[in-house]
Amino acid sequence: RGLFSEMGIWHDNFVAQAVCFMSPVKVQPLEEGSQTSELERSAAMAGGNLFARYASFIDVFFAKKFHRIGLAVGTRPKTSLALSFLFMIVCCGGISQLNGESRSDKLWIPQGTRAQEDESEYTKYFPPATRLTSMLLESKTGSLLDKASLQAALNLHWEIEAVNTTAENADGKLVDDTLRSLCILQPGRGHPCFVNSVLEAWDYDRAKLSADMNPLDTLNAMGKSKADLARMLGGATFDASGKVTGAKAMTMTYFMMMNRVRNGGGYEDPRGAMWEEKVLEVLRCDTPVCEKDVCACGYESENFKVYGQTTRSFSDVFGAAIGGDVGLINGAFLLMIVYLILNLGGLCHKVNSRALLAFGCTLSIVAAGVSGYGLAMYLGFDYTPAHSILPFVIIGIGVDDSFVIMNAFDRTDPKKPVPERIADTLAHAGVSIMVTSLTDFVAFAISVSSALPALSSFCMYAAFCVLVLLFFQITMFTAFAAMDATRVNANRIDCCFCLPRGCLCCPVVPKEDAAKAVEEGKKDPNQMLCCAQPKHSGGNIGRFLEHVVAPQLVKKPVAATVLFVFTAICAISVWQMTLLSIEDTQRKFIPDDSYLSATINTNDKYFGSSGTRFDIVTVPGDYFSSQKALVDIGPRLGKLDYIVPISADSFSSWAAEFKFACATGNVMGMPVTTDSDGLVTTKAQYYSVLNAWLKGSGGRYAKSVIWASAADPQQGIAASKMAAELKSVNKEVGDRVLPDAVFAVKALDGIRATCDSWSDLPGGKAVPYSYEFLSWETFKIIDVQMYGSTAQCLAAVLVITLATLGHPTAAGLVFICVLMTIIDILGFMQVWGLAIDSVTVIQLVIAVGLSVDYAAHVAHNFMTQVGSKPERMIKTMGDVGSAVLCGGISTFLGVMLLVLSKSYVFRVLFQTFFLTVVLGLAHGLILLPVLLNLVGPPSYHAADEVVVAEVVVAEKAEKTTEIGEEIGAKESDWKVAKHEDALPTLPCSKSGLAAREKQQEPTLTAEGSPDPEVRTPSGKGKQ
């Protein structure tokens, strides 16, 4: 019997090792009567052995590293905190290199593009020199061209004339300014300043207007064309002869000199800004009057409403909107902290609650943000207004990581010392947060290559913040967790941990007394409120996910329904995604209830069909030889179908006007000789006469021609410009007027191609330029930037998850979930009325980073579980599901109040974060578990069990020999003991081998003899 027993045990071990060697997953024993053998099942799974071994190697490697780090942090938490804060202080030194950038052309305009080159060429000769102050007057009743309304408008003009301000000039001296000291001079239009208004018909003279018995006749006698009047009068009506008969609105525009100086990353013009501030006070735009969400300036007039706008208006209104949201932002952060307190440990227990740890979590996130900002500033990256949304991103990622860490800590053995518990925590959770953080870091780092400077700078700041956040979660937050666990072991109250027995109002009952009360069936005396601590380590949320949600997801009908619904939503989102339009975002930054928004909307109402003015710039060259080409610019442009027909109103050309002046043979008292085409025949005469004409009757074009030498015209012309007009590129979208991106890009490319073909011009080319062209350049690449950056981020997700999770199936499933999440976000953006613009591009990159967290944590936890796929999926939902869900909820709470924001940036932040959280959690906690249950990879520990079995088999052989010898020695006294099945539940695991050893030891009866009934190694019959 001893020999047979020894042979049976050896047979048992060899079967176990063979099964382990052929399969990377745990093998379960079969019930009696099963038709499938263990070897058949193992053979079917043997194909994934290589990947499983690699995945196990990756997991064990990082787990060991994090275990050592956790042991060090848990042993010396104060030292870890000190080093972390020291690192933060060093990083904060970068803040001294802060360089803010707020110029829109340096943030949202693609760098290195044709538009940038053209602007550089233009500003080299024609630097910005104009500030605009405009007023749109809308009649309250009837026409605005009656005498009373015109007189009221003229009175408003004289109130503007009376504005007097004091500000510093470029030399730092205080100077007094008025309209006439700051305006661009252009006499001959009824006013010494360049003022565009129909009031010039009366030379801005109150007496002339008062004496005029028929203002309409005077207005029609100005000599303005119908098109020119339509630019100054809104809702104008004309009779059959083309004479104006009435108008609903009129504009008054003042062209002021630009006296700006560079200040850091932007410009400032204190003299112009101060004068505009006083003008806005006269118009009372700071106290608008609103009717049905339309807010006009508060200027009081019985005849009209006033809508004002100045150069400083945009920055004023946008800054006020951001400042007004400070309360919402603080409220959102407060909600997040409260949620952290309630979910990290709750407030149900005096000792076991974690209110202080929640503040420690917040502190570690803030420290990571400050350090990340400092590192980016060390490298010279500009701080932009777009960075105002970065704190929400860092909080969302940081809180999610904190929940994962504490969820792992709660599952460690409470009997172990705190350092060992911290080490075990990081060995499990450290790998998980490393996967998500590295993926986020690489995704953001890749997007630094974007052509949009604002996106590039934002992603660099985000990349550093995410990297430092990973470091601080391990060294700072984990140190706080170790100190908190030490406090719990010492039975100290949470809020007053320095007091051994708690505070007077809330004393702590010693552990022994509390345990005794619980044993007697009484309430824990340290429990507070009416709530009790949840028994499930994942809290009530974890219990719900594990015992309610997960068991339903493993059912095939439910899984099929889930796959169908998510696939259908994704397909619909793909369709909606193709309908996304490209829009200009500049006006979206303006709050809906501001006076500036009402001004822009009212201007669109009356002048939305007006064209876009642009300049044709000619560069240095032989202007005398290019006279004909210069004169022909107008007719050449007129052949393009997107150019307003050439006329005196739509096209301004110094060359054509000079030719007309030369036709008389005498210009400014100087004789001039022309050929049959009306062109000057002598080079010296051409330049000298042109110079005299520009100083005299052609003075309105004086700033359109830049001489190589102002003292010597014979050195030629350095540059010149002519103005033309594009047809309106606007289109109506609902109740809004927005640029048609497709038409704008077509017109821009057509104008450039035409100008590039004019080789007979001076310098062999012409440069078309308008400030609007910078925005249109963005239209050309914004969709490419968005989809390109997103594709790069998704590729980073696949590569990093493959390298860190270690198994292609796990990485592939995470990638599929993130990809579907992004597609769904794009689809719902279209449904929600959002468009492709500079703000949504940044938000989409953020969405990739956040959605990775929801999926990667689940996939990694699934890889660490053992058992069948359904068992592993259910355990995963109960283990990490609660942490992922709590992290998503905290992210949503962090932006929830921003739905009330008046700022477009924060409203879009709320919309995209809402979509990211809802869709990311849905894919991470519903779709991914279903996929893992169906096609999930084997566990990390499956491959480990193979290695363990191969190492232990020699030891087993030695032990079984000893058992055989012992059986032979006591054979006469033994009775055969009763055994369990020959194959234990886990034949390859350490616990399984230990169980087998225990099963293989004979059981003696009370008399010391063996039990006569013992199963054979096959588990059947009696020996």
Side-chain angles (χ1 to χ4, degrees):
R1 285 207 300 265
L3 178 60
F4 282 122
S5 297
E6 183 175 348
M7 292 176 61
I9 294 171
W10 272 92
H11 166 269
D12 199 7
N13 286 328
F14 278 127
V15 170
Q17 305 314 321
V19 170
C20 290
F21 181 77
M22 296 186 67
S23 173
V25 298
K26 182 186 69 172
V27 179
Q28 296 288 352
L30 297 178
E31 298 293 334
E32 291 191 26
S34 174
Q35 300 300 316
T36 305
S37 69
E38 296 281 9
L39 293 179
E40 289 173 344
R41 186 188 306 176
S42 301
M45 298 179 182
N49 192 45
L50 176 63
F51 292 126
R53 285 177 178 272
Y54 171 72
S56 177
F57 168 78
I58 291 294
D59 182 67
V60 170
F61 175 80
F62 285 115
K64 287 182 178 178
K65 300 298 181 184
F66 279 110
H67 189 277
R68 293 177 182 175
I69 295 173
L71 192 61
V73 173
T75 304
R76 299 179 179 86
K78 295 180 180 178
T79 302
S80 181
L81 286 175
L83 293 176
S84 298
F85 281 114
L86 178 62
F87 177 77
M88 183 192 71
I89 293 172
V90 173
C91 292
C92 286
I95 298 179
S96 63
Q97 309 298 318
L98 171 64
N99 181 38
E101 180 60 84
S102 59
R103 293 171 293 174
S104 59
D105 57 322
K106 299 298 182 182
L107 295 178
W108 308 111
I109 307 302
Q111 302 299 293
T113 59
R114 171 71 182 270
Q116 290 278 321
E117 296 172 0
D118 290 349
E119 183 188 41
S120 177
E121 189 79 19
Y122 179 87
T123 56
K124 181 168 61 175
Y125 303 108
F126 305 99
T130 305
R131 296 178 71 100
L132 292 179
T133 295
S134 63
M135 288 160 282
L136 192 154
L137 313 181
E138 183 182 31
S139 175
K140 291 184 176 180
T141 57
S143 172
L144 198 62
L145 299 183
D146 60 81
K147 188 172 182 177
S149 297
L150 290 171
Q151 287 178 320
L154 190 54
N155 289 336
L156 174 58
H157 163 77
W158 281 103
E159 290 186 53
I160 302 300
E161 285 263 17
V163 172
N164 188 296
T165 59
T166 302
E168 290 186 357
N169 61 11
D171 298 328
K173 298 180 179 179
L174 293 177
V175 293
D176 293 331
D177 288 314
T178 63
L179 170 64
R180 302 196 179 207
S181 67
L182 291 174
C183 72
I184 295 175
L185 299 177
Q186 190 173 9
R189 302 184 61 176
H191 197 282
C193 295
F194 186 3
V195 182
N196 189 27
S197 170
V198 294
L199 295 178
E200 71 177 81
W202 299 273
D203 295 333
Y204 299 91
D205 190 328
R206 294 175 180 174
K208 287 185 179 181
L209 178 58
S210 180
D212 192 341
M213 303 304 296
N214 197 332
L216 275 178
D217 289 346
T218 304
L219 186 59
N220 284 308
M222 285 177 61
K224 298 288 185 180
S225 67
K226 179 179 178 180
D228 203 11
L229 287 173
R231 291 186 180 90
M232 295 185 287
L233 298 174
T237 56
F238 299 87
D239 60 16
S241 62
K243 294 182 178 180
V244 65
T245 58
K248 290 288 295 180
M250 63 179 289
T251 61
M252 297 167 57
T253 305
Y254 299 85
F255 295 83
M256 313 298 290
M257 289 188 299
M258 178 75 74
N259 300 289
R260 70 178 187 173
V261 292
R262 185 70 182 267
N263 179 24
Y267 296 103
E268 65 175 12
D269 178 5
R271 295 175 63 189
M274 179 62 70
W275 186 83
E276 290 175 354
E277 181 181 352
K278 294 300 182 182
V279 169
L280 292 173
E281 289 180 5
V282 170
L283 301 179
R284 297 181 60 188
C285 292
D286 55 339
T287 56
V289 177
C290 301
E291 295 181 6
K292 297 181 179 179
D293 298 331
V294 177
C295 299
C297 294
Y299 183 83
E300 296 181 1
S301 173
E302 297 179 356
N303 304 92
F304 49 72
K305 300 176 183 177
V306 178
Y307 300 91
Q309 181 177 356
T310 67
T311 300
R312 67 172 294 159
S313 292
F314 180 83
S315 58
D316 286 348
V317 171
F318 179 66
I322 296 294
D325 289 333
V326 171
L328 295 177
I329 296 172
N330 292 335
F333 287 163
L334 180 61
L335 278 177
M336 181 207 66
I337 294 175
V338 171
Y339 184 80
L340 271 175
I341 293 174
L342 294 176
N343 283 274
L344 276 181
L347 293 175
C348 296
H349 202 275
K350 299 175 184 178
V351 176
N352 295 335
S353 62
R354 291 169 176 161
L356 289 179
L357 183 59
F359 285 101
C361 171
T362 305
L363 179 60
S364 64
I365 295 173
V366 171
V370 172
S371 301
Y373 276 48
L375 289 174
M377 291 175 186
Y378 266 130
L379 297 181
F381 283 84
D382 294 333
Y383 180 85
T384 75
H387 291 69
S388 60
I389 64 178
L390 185 53
F392 296 96
V393 181
I394 304 305
I395 289 173
I397 296 174
V399 170
D400 188 42
D401 290 345
S402 298
F403 275 120
V404 171
I405 290 174
M406 295 313 300
N407 183 74
F409 180 81
D410 289 338
R411 293 177 179 274
T412 59
D413 186 357
K415 297 179 181 179
K416 287 185 175 182
V418 170
E420 291 187 20
R421 295 186 67 188
I422 294 296
D424 292 344
T425 297
L426 281 188
H428 178 77
V431 181
S432 183
I433 65 174
M434 181 195 68
V435 172
T436 58
S437 297
L438 288 182
T439 305
D440 294 340
F441 170 75
V442 174
F444 284 125
I446 287 176
S447 297
V448 173
S449 62
S450 171
L452 296 175
L455 176 59
S456 176
S457 178
F458 175 87
C459 289
M460 178 52 73
Y461 276 74
F464 276 122
C465 286
V466 169
L467 196 61
V468 178
L469 182 61
L470 171 63
F471 174 70
F472 280 173
Q473 284 290 302
I474 294 172
T475 61
M476 186 180 292
F477 175 72
T478 305
F480 282 131
M483 296 172 67
D484 186 73
T486 303
R487 173 193 62 78
V488 173
N489 288 347
N491 202 46
R492 293 175 180 264
I493 194 170
D494 185 20
C495 58
C496 302
F497 62 93
C498 55
L499 303 177
R501 296 294 180 182
C503 52
L504 295 177
C505 61
C506 192
V508 176
V509 177
K511 282 185 179 181
E512 298 77 10
D513 297 341
K516 184 177 180 181
V518 173
E519 288 178 1
E520 295 175 354
K522 299 178 181 179
K523 176 184 175 181
D524 186 345
N526 286 325
Q527 181 179 321
M528 298 187 299
L529 306 177
C530 298
C531 56
Q533 288 186 295
K535 297 180 179 179
H536 195 282
S537 57
N540 293 326
I541 295 177
R543 181 177 58 82
F544 174 77
L545 292 175
E546 182 173 1
H547 297 294
V548 178
V549 177
Q552 299 300 318
L553 295 179
V554 299
K555 297 178 180 179
K556 291 184 178 180
V558 175
T561 302
V562 168
L563 293 176
F564 174 78
V565 170
F566 276 84
T567 303
I569 292 175
C570 186
I572 295 173
S573 297
V574 170
W575 166 53
Q576 288 294 313
M577 182 176 66
T578 60
L579 302 178
L580 278 170
S581 60
I582 301 173
E583 293 183 3
D584 184 16
T585 57
Q586 184 172 3
R587 67 172 58 192
K588 293 181 179 179
F589 288 95
I590 303 170
D592 298 334
D593 61 349
S594 69
Y595 76 88
L596 183 57
S597 177
T599 299
I600 294 175
N601 292 334
T602 306
N603 188 74
D604 288 339
K605 175 182 176 181
Y606 293 108
F607 304 101
S609 60
S610 299
T612 301
R613 301 282 289 186
F614 69 98
D615 291 326
I616 300 292
V617 179
T618 55
V619 295
D622 188 351
Y623 279 72
F624 169 72
S625 301
S626 303
Q627 288 182 73
K628 187 176 187 310
L630 290 168
V631 173
D632 287 344
I633 287 180
R636 291 176 181 180
L637 286 175
K639 296 178 181 179
L640 303 177
D641 59 359
Y642 34 79
I643 297 293
V644 173
I646 301 300
S647 67
D649 299 318
S650 64
F651 182 70
S652 174
S653 170
W654 64 266
E657 288 295 319
F658 179 63
K659 176 186 175 183
F660 179 78
C662 292
T664 61
N666 188 288
V667 178
M668 302 297 296
M670 300 176 65
V672 59
T673 304
T674 61
D675 59 16
S676 57
D677 293 328
L679 306 177
V680 180
T681 58
T682 305
K683 185 175 184 178
Q685 191 180 66
Y686 173 77
Y687 287 122
S688 60
V689 173
L690 175 60
N691 184 48
W693 178 73
L694 291 173
K695 292 180 179 179
S697 59
R700 62 176 297 192
Y701 298 104
K703 293 186 178 180
S704 297
V705 178
I706 306 299
W707 295 97
S709 173
D712 184 10
Q714 296 303 320
Q715 293 188 23
I717 298 173
S720 74
K721 65 178 181 179
M722 304 173 192
E725 186 175 349
L726 278 167
K727 291 180 180 178
S728 175
V729 299
N730 292 332
K731 64 178 180 179
E732 292 186 6
V733 180
D735 58 348
R736 299 181 299 165
V737 177
L738 299 173
D740 185 340
V742 176
F743 179 78
V745 171
K746 177 183 176 182
L748 179 60
D749 290 341
I751 293 170
R752 286 175 174 173
T754 301
C755 291
D756 291 343
S757 67
W758 295 340
S759 58
D760 53 350
L761 288 175
K765 68 174 183 178
V767 178
Y769 173 77
S770 171
Y771 184 77
E772 283 77 7
F773 289 176
L774 296 172
S775 299
W776 297 0
E777 188 76 48
T778 306
F779 292 160
K780 296 179 64 175
I781 71 164
I782 189 68
D783 56 340
V784 176
Q785 285 291 307
M786 185 181 75
Y787 292 118
S789 297
T790 304
Q792 290 176 337
C793 292
L794 289 172
V797 169
L798 180 60
V799 173
I800 299 301
T801 53
L802 180 60
T804 51
L805 291 178
H807 201 287
T809 303
L813 294 179
V814 170
F815 176 78
I816 289 173
C817 288
V818 175
L819 176 62
M820 293 180 67
T821 300
I822 299 304
I823 291 174
D824 291 351
I825 290 174
L826 287 169
F828 280 97
M829 281 171 54
Q830 161 65 18
V831 175
W832 210 337
L834 297 177
I836 300 174
D837 57 39
S838 51
V839 176
T840 53
V841 168
I842 294 178
Q843 301 292 358
L844 199 62
V845 173
I846 295 173
V848 175
L850 292 179
S851 57
V852 168
D853 291 6
Y854 304 137
H857 286 312
V858 174
H860 176 264
N861 191 276
F862 179 82
M863 295 287 289
T864 64
Q865 302 292 345
V866 294
S868 63
K869 290 178 183 177
E871 291 174 345
R872 292 164 60 199
M873 189 271 277
I874 293 174
K875 292 177 183 177
T876 295
M877 293 288 280
D879 189 349
V880 79
S882 59
V884 171
L885 184 57
C886 289
I889 293 175
S890 65
T891 301
F892 173 73
L893 290 176
V895 299
M896 183 178 67
L897 293 181
L898 297 183
V899 69
L900 303 175
S901 173
K902 298 177 181 179
S903 167
Y904 171 74
V905 176
F906 286 145
R907 286 204 308 270
V908 173
L909 176 67
F910 166 77
Q911 290 171 301
T912 53
F913 266 51
F914 175 81
L915 292 175
T916 302
V917 170
V918 173
L919 296 173
L921 288 177
H923 286 80
L925 295 180
I926 298 178
L927 178 62
L928 183 57
V930 169
L931 294 175
L932 290 172
N933 178 50
L934 295 176
V935 294
S939 169
Y940 287 136
H941 304 298
D944 289 342
E945 289 159 1
V946 177
V947 178
V948 171
E950 291 172 348
V951 174
V952 174
V953 64
E955 299 178 2
K956 291 288 295 180
E958 182 179 353
K959 287 188 177 182
T960 50
T961 302
E962 294 176 358
I963 293 174
E965 293 175 354
E966 187 176 355
I967 291 175
K970 295 186 178 183
E971 183 180 3
S972 59
D973 300 324
W974 279 9
K975 292 182 179 179
V976 181
K978 185 175 182 179
H979 279 221
E980 296 294 328
D981 291 337
L983 287 177
T985 301
L986 296 174
C988 313
S989 65
K990 295 180 181 179
S991 59
L993 292 172
R996 180 182 298 281
E997 292 175 16
K998 184 176 181 180
Q999 292 171 349
Q1000 290 163 349
E1001 293 177 359
T1003 303
L1004 302 180
T1005 62
E1007 293 79 7
S1009 57
D1011 194 320
E1013 291 190 13
V1014 65
R1015 289 183 180 269
T1016 63
S1018 62
K1020 298 180 181 180
K1022 293 184 179 181
Q1023 182 176 350

